[in-house]
Amino acid sequence: MRSRRLGKMLSVKNRIRLVAAATAVLMAVVDFPVSVFATSDTSDTREQLEEAEQEMEEAQQELEEAQGRLQETQNNLAALEDVQDTYQGQMQILNEELTLVADNLAVIETEIQIKEIEILETTLALEEAERIREEQYTSMQERIRFLYERGDTVYMEMLFSARTFGEFLNYADYIEQLSAYDRRMLEEYIANEELIAQQRALLEEEMLALEELRAEAQEEQGRVNGLITATATNIATTADTIAGVEAAAAAYEAECDQRQAEAEAAQAEYEEILAQYQEELRLSQLAAQSEWRDISQVAFEENDRYLLANLIYCEAGGESYEGQLAVGAVVINRLLSSRYPNTVTGVIYQRKQFSPVLDGHLAAALAQNKATESCYRAADEAMRGVTNVGNCLYFRTPIEGLTGIQIGGHIFY
């Protein structure tokens, strides 16, 4: 009798494994939209909500960073445009200055022409003075040679040849005039030498002034041309920089649009999962107000312990014993509530409730009997009506705003 009962229990476990494997295949074949899968008392909705919240925060942060880069780029662009406007203004001023320089160059060219005429006149005057000097020099040479050869005898002969006193006076006056002429010629020669020296100095000054005028004109033109070239280069460089910054700004704008869309999508997903969580709270409150059975009214099937222990393993295998018992208590609480199925199998396999059922983990655990001794002990106590979470019907890892009984890595509510 005992062996038949044991054989029957083993056959039941084998059937459970087959049912679990078939269920896993069915869940894999049937395309349940995970985004709307209500995880209720499992960690699936919680994980989705946490992931959605994290994705929403990351998307918002990336959006803010992209907006910051866009703002910085736009500020740089505005600054570059101001610089470009400044360069454009400088170019306009330089063009006006170049016009003034051109007028000034025209004046300088006129002055150069006048100076060239003055130099020509001074050169001609110098040449004339030098010609006169040569004539004076030749005349003085002849006069000196005559006086040297004849001495003063010519004047004495002239005086003594006078026949009358009046003629003597006339000769004396003539001799005096000759002496005065000689002195005057010497003075004119000396004055002409001074004039030549002055003309040479004046010519040198005028030539130097001419060179200075030409250098001034060349320097002025070179300065303005240099400024125009530099400013034109700055304008071209700034224009290239602006083009690059504008391209970067356009890319950042596109990135901002993309980040905005991602942030909105993440926000929508978060709100959808949050609404699902709020619906879970509503159902929990509704179940609390509904009729509950006593544990003594429940007739468990032979496979319930095996099924519940493996579900506890999938949901809280890494938790403490108290956490494992709390998961088993949630399942039994649902069994006792009139709002849920009245069998352990019905509660665990209720559509869209436990993620290990959906993702195949429970089927794999059942096929290999992964449940540990503590999981079986927790299942046994829960099936006797022991609960360390009161009438809680849901559990999940902690999220912001969720209150309840926290045991290990789960909050029960």
Side-chain angles (χ1 to χ4, degrees):
M1 186 70 175
R2 180 184 177 90
S3 61
R4 285 199 302 270
R5 184 178 300 171
L6 179 59
K8 183 178 180 182
M9 289 179 64
L10 290 175
S11 63
V12 170
K13 289 184 179 180
N14 288 333
R15 285 199 300 272
I16 291 175
R17 292 192 181 99
L18 291 175
V19 171
T23 302
V25 173
L26 180 61
M27 291 296 182
V29 173
V30 179
D31 184 17
F32 288 116
V34 176
S35 61
V36 297
F37 181 63
T39 56
S40 297
D41 52 334
T42 70
S43 59
D44 190 53
T45 303
R46 171 259 307 165
E47 292 174 354
Q48 290 182 10
L49 187 59
E50 289 178 342
E51 291 175 0
E53 184 177 12
Q54 183 177 359
E55 290 175 0
M56 179 181 65
E57 292 175 353
E58 291 175 355
Q60 186 63 34
Q61 182 178 358
E62 291 175 354
L63 173 61
E64 292 174 356
E65 292 175 355
Q67 289 174 338
R69 290 192 294 270
L70 175 60
Q71 184 62 47
E72 181 180 358
T73 304
Q74 289 175 339
N75 292 339
N76 292 338
L77 181 60
L80 286 171
E81 288 174 346
D82 290 340
V83 171
Q84 187 181 44
D85 291 341
T86 301
Y87 286 146
Q88 294 287 1
Q90 289 179 355
M91 179 63 79
Q92 183 177 356
I93 294 173
L94 287 173
N95 287 331
E96 295 174 355
E97 186 175 349
L98 186 60
T99 302
L100 296 176
V101 169
D103 295 340
N104 189 31
L105 289 175
V107 173
I108 292 175
E109 287 295 330
T110 303
E111 292 178 354
I112 289 174
Q113 293 174 1
I114 295 173
K115 187 59 64 178
E116 289 175 345
I117 294 173
E118 291 176 351
I119 290 173
L120 178 60
E121 292 176 349
T122 303
T123 302
L124 293 175
L126 179 60
E127 292 174 355
E128 178 64 17
E130 289 177 343
R131 185 189 65 77
I132 293 173
R133 182 188 65 178
E134 290 300 323
E135 291 179 354
Q136 289 177 335
Y137 183 74
T138 302
S139 176
M140 290 180 66
Q141 277 185 328
E142 293 295 330
R143 184 68 177 165
I144 291 171
R145 184 183 300 110
F146 174 77
L147 292 175
Y148 178 78
E149 292 176 353
R150 298 292 300 272
D152 293 336
T153 58
V154 65
Y155 296 119
M156 297 300 294
E157 291 176 356
M158 184 180 297
L159 289 173
F160 288 129
S161 65
R163 292 187 294 271
T164 63
F165 183 72
E167 192 172 289
F168 178 82
L169 292 175
N170 287 334
Y171 284 152
D173 183 60
Y174 175 71
I175 291 172
E176 185 178 357
Q177 288 179 4
L178 286 176
S179 299
Y181 174 77
D182 289 339
R183 285 194 301 271
R184 188 170 64 254
M185 287 299 101
L186 181 59
E187 290 174 355
E188 287 181 359
Y189 180 81
I190 294 173
N192 195 44
E193 282 291 326
E194 293 177 354
L195 177 61
I196 289 173
Q198 292 175 359
Q199 293 291 344
R200 287 185 184 280
L202 178 61
L203 181 60
E204 291 176 358
E205 290 178 0
E206 290 176 342
M207 291 294 291
L208 181 60
L210 178 61
E211 291 302 321
E212 289 177 352
L213 286 173
R214 286 175 175 170
E216 179 185 353
Q218 186 176 4
E219 181 182 359
E220 184 72 7
Q221 188 170 9
R223 182 184 70 82
V224 176
N225 287 339
L227 289 175
I228 289 177
T229 301
T231 304
T233 301
N234 289 336
I235 290 175
T237 303
T238 305
D240 292 340
T241 305
I242 287 176
V245 175
E246 285 179 342
Y252 287 142
E253 277 192 45
E255 182 183 0
C256 283
D257 292 340
Q258 178 183 353
R259 299 300 183 191
Q260 181 69 39
E262 292 174 355
E264 291 175 355
Q267 178 71 26
E269 182 179 2
Y270 175 77
E271 291 175 354
E272 179 181 355
I273 297 176
L274 183 60
Q276 180 179 340
Y277 163 65
Q278 292 171 345
E279 175 65 12
E280 290 177 358
L281 292 180
R282 186 188 68 82
L283 293 175
S284 178
Q285 294 170 358
L286 184 62
Q289 299 171 1
S290 302
E291 182 181 353
W292 284 60
R293 294 186 295 172
D294 187 76
I295 191 67
S296 61
Q297 298 175 290
V298 178
F300 291 103
E301 300 291 336
E302 290 185 7
N303 66 325
D304 287 349
R305 178 176 181 268
Y306 183 70
L307 180 59
L308 180 57
N310 278 277
L311 177 67
I312 292 173
Y313 169 79
C314 292
E315 292 285 10
E319 296 290 332
S320 65
Y321 175 75
E322 288 73 15
Q324 295 172 357
L325 175 60
V327 170
V330 166
V331 175
I332 299 304
N333 284 343
R334 285 202 171 197
L335 179 66
L336 299 178
S337 172
S338 60
R339 306 291 303 183
Y340 293 91
N342 58 4
T343 64
V344 172
T345 301
V347 168
I348 292 177
Y349 285 100
Q350 187 178 9
R351 188 172 181 268
K352 300 180 181 179
Q353 296 302 306
F354 290 92
S355 59
V357 175
L358 176 65
D359 58 26
H361 284 116
L362 178 59
L366 290 171
Q368 301 177 31
N369 190 19
K370 290 280 190 177
T372 63
E373 181 181 352
S374 63
C375 291
Y376 274 106
R377 185 157 61 93
D380 290 338
E381 284 205 77
M383 292 171 67
R384 287 198 300 271
V386 177
T387 174
N388 57 349
V389 291
N391 292 334
C392 291
L393 299 171
Y394 303 89
F395 65 91
R396 65 179 65 251
T397 55
I399 59 175
E400 184 178 355
L402 178 62
T403 59
I405 302 172
Q406 183 165 358
I407 301 177
H410 291 111
I411 287 184
F412 297 81
Y413 52 98

